[in-house]
Amino acid sequence: MNNKSLIDWPTFIGAIAILLIVAVPLITVPEFGDMAITAANSFVTHNFGVLYLLIGIVLFIFLIYIAFSQYGRIVLGTKGVQPEFNTLTWAAMLFAAGIGSSVLYWGTIEWAFYYQSPPFGVEPGTREAIEWAVTYGIFHWGPIAWAIYCLPALPISYFFYVRKRPVLKVSEACRPVLKKYADGPVGTIVDVLFMFGLLGGAGTTMALATPLIGAGVSHFTGIEPDIVLYTIVLIIATTIFAISSYTGLRKGIRMLSNLNLWLSFILLGFVFIVGPTVFLSQSMINSVGLLADNFFRMSMWAEPFKDLGPFERTGFPEDWTIFYWAWWLVYAPFVGLFVARISKGRTIREMVVGTLVYGTVGCLLFFGILGNFGLYLELSGQYSVIETMNNVSTEAAIIETIAQLPLSPIFVTIFVVLALVFLATTFDSGSYILASVTQKEIDDEPIRWNRMFWAIILATPSIILMYLGGLETLQTASIVGGFPLIFIMIMLAVSFKRAVNADMPKTFGTKYYIYPDERE
Ligand code: NM2
């Protein structure tokens, strides 16, 4: 097949068309676009918030069940297959793909939001609020979130490596449910919806990363961060990830992921050692305990009495947990496709447990070290993060937190470079996956020009909207864009179960006798 006939044109054009249909009114009539999206967002989160909460906890339990049941023993590949990447590289790639610069942003500052507006009606600034402050961030970046990421990897990796279908697509992974419709317009809609969601989610990421990197640059230069600076940041970031995606999985993507890992180790290790080590470890373990104790409560807190009783509603679940699950959801098929792609030769159990454990621990370290460091500065009176956040900007508060470290110019630089690399490693794998989805078949890697094309498309909506001052709109759009994904996730889970049940010998039945016959 030649280059062009490898492209799946309906999906390719469908994704661009839907992007234009949404982007053009936003650009031409921004006030209307903003209103419509805000309305859609509050409609979805208020009425269907419970669905988001439910899908989170249900997927988590489902994955644990799959990993530890007989299905967990299935190897992704045929006899003699070896994992393509060693475990450290695998974990680094997984983390770097699924997590962008937002972990630096929220990891450092999320506590400050909860400290001021705590959950469960707790009084702001109290002892209890302080305990929840770091814990809630760890929860929003914890096992449920990683379960959302991992689920699509189950059917996708199974079809790709076990059933050997040379297609990396969400619609393909839904085949046991969609049946023959997987090939027609319904399949295309599933793929396009996921691509649209990803473009929205990526916009959210860019919306946070650009001002953060901008604040870092302005810390050194004193230049007021403005649109010109942001544009330069965006162009540099896009160039880096486009090159990385162009050189492919085994070169650019792998190399940047490893760089990402090492820079993270250096930053976190340094803050941990020269920072208030005892406080950091105490507060981290404290949070883990509080989280373990309240795991189900937090995952299902829907604030049901909000508008009825004498209590003021906080809107916490919609603003945070539901927003987060939606954000993880829009990224999930992409991360699932990527995790599947790199997991050849591993067992399902290794893939699931690896994703949940490495992912959660990785985020725990960012939130536990950077977040608690900020909290320490605030509580000890050394530096008020909250004051800068409320009076200057959130980004400035993040950069100034890091700037309180000894040797601060070095570490602010590492922080900013790391933000750039984190961004690049999410967007390079993102464009790699978008390219895979728009191809009928993939030989080894998707076609190069196709990868480059999607790298540029991924960056475009954020650039255009930034000029129009509509990045927040895009952020909200990602939540709305995530709604159909709830149903796609259910389809993916059912598809996986159907496929493995159809293929597996019923070795264990429902009961298993060690000695099948009577013994004396
Ligand atoms: N998630 C992990 O911006 C980023 O870090 C990408 C964000 C979904 C909250 C992913």
Side-chain angles (χ1 to χ4, degrees), residues 51 90 100 103 156 179 210 251 282 315 338 368 382 413 417 419 435:
L51 268 185
W90 181 83
V103 77
I156 296 167
K179 308 235 160 63
T210 316
K251 277 206 191 119
Q282 284 176 343
F338 188 75
Q382 226 164 302
T413 309
V417 171

Side-chain angles (χ1 to χ4, degrees), residues 153-375:
L154 291 178
I156 296 167
S157 58
Y158 189 77
F159 291 128
F160 200 65
Y161 291 121
V162 179
R163 285 195 175 177
K164 303 250 179 245
R165 302 261 319 161
V167 194
L168 270 178
K169 279 182 193 234
V170 178
S171 57
E172 180 62 30
C174 292
R175 189 175 289 278
V177 172
L178 292 178
K179 308 235 160 63
K180 63 177 196 302
Y181 294 108
D183 297 312
V186 179
T188 307
I189 291 174
V190 166
D191 288 326
V192 167
L193 279 178
F194 126 72
M195 295 170 79
F196 176 66
L198 177 57
L199 288 167
T204 310
T205 296
M206 273 285 195
L208 293 169
T210 316
L212 178 65
I213 298 169
V217 174
S218 108
H219 170 84
F220 285 119
T221 56
I223 304 175
E224 277 297 309
D226 62 0
I227 198 91
V228 180
L229 179 62
Y230 291 166
T231 310
I232 297 173
V233 168
L234 267 168
I235 292 174
I236 294 177
T238 309
T239 312
I240 297 177
F241 67 73
I243 293 174
S244 168
S245 179
Y246 186 79
T247 54
L249 198 60
R250 294 186 198 90
K251 277 206 191 119
I253 298 182
R254 178 195 192 142
M255 209 189 74
L256 268 186
S257 302
N258 278 321
L259 175 67
N260 199 333
L261 183 76
W262 290 114
L263 282 180
S264 304
F265 277 150
I266 295 174
L267 178 74
L268 294 180
F270 183 80
V271 179
F272 187 69
I273 292 164
V274 305
T277 312
V278 174
F279 172 80
L280 296 182
S281 14
Q282 284 176 343
S283 184
M284 249 193 287
I285 191 138
N286 190 60
S287 289
V288 173
L290 193 64
L291 173 58
D293 211 14
N294 290 279
F295 182 71
F296 288 103
R297 179 182 183 203
M298 293 162 92
S299 55
M300 287 183 255
W301 183 44
E303 207 184 25
F305 315 118
K306 50 198 170 205
D307 297 316
L308 296 175
F311 316 107
E312 232 178 88
R313 83 190 215 92
T314 62
F316 189 100
E318 287 89 359
D319 289 351
W320 291 103
T321 311
I322 294 167
F323 157 68
Y324 260 123
W325 285 184
W327 194 12
W328 287 87
L329 272 171
V330 290
Y331 267 94
F334 140 59
V335 178
L337 283 160
F338 188 75
V339 172
R341 173 69 187 82
I342 61 174
S343 296
K344 180 175 167 187
R346 295 180 182 273
T347 62
I348 296 254
R349 181 173 307 155
E350 279 166 0
M351 183 174 80
V352 173
V353 175
T355 310
L356 296 192
V357 172
Y358 290 123
T360 302
V361 171
C363 290
L364 169 72
L365 292 177
F366 277 94
F367 277 73
I369 295 177
L370 300 180
N372 276 313
F373 177 59
L375 181 64

Side-chain angles (χ1 to χ4, degrees), residues 62 65-66 69-71 154-155 158-159 163 173 176-177 490-504 506:
F62 178 74
Y65 158 69
I66 292 294
S69 65
Q70 51 176 333
Y71 305 114
L154 291 178
Y158 189 77
F159 291 128
R163 285 195 175 177
V177 172
I490 297 171
M491 269 201 295
L492 288 168
V494 174
S495 291
F496 174 71
K497 268 293 261 143
R498 281 198 188 158
V500 280
N501 281 344
D503 296 349
M504 256 182 121
K506 302 274 174 288

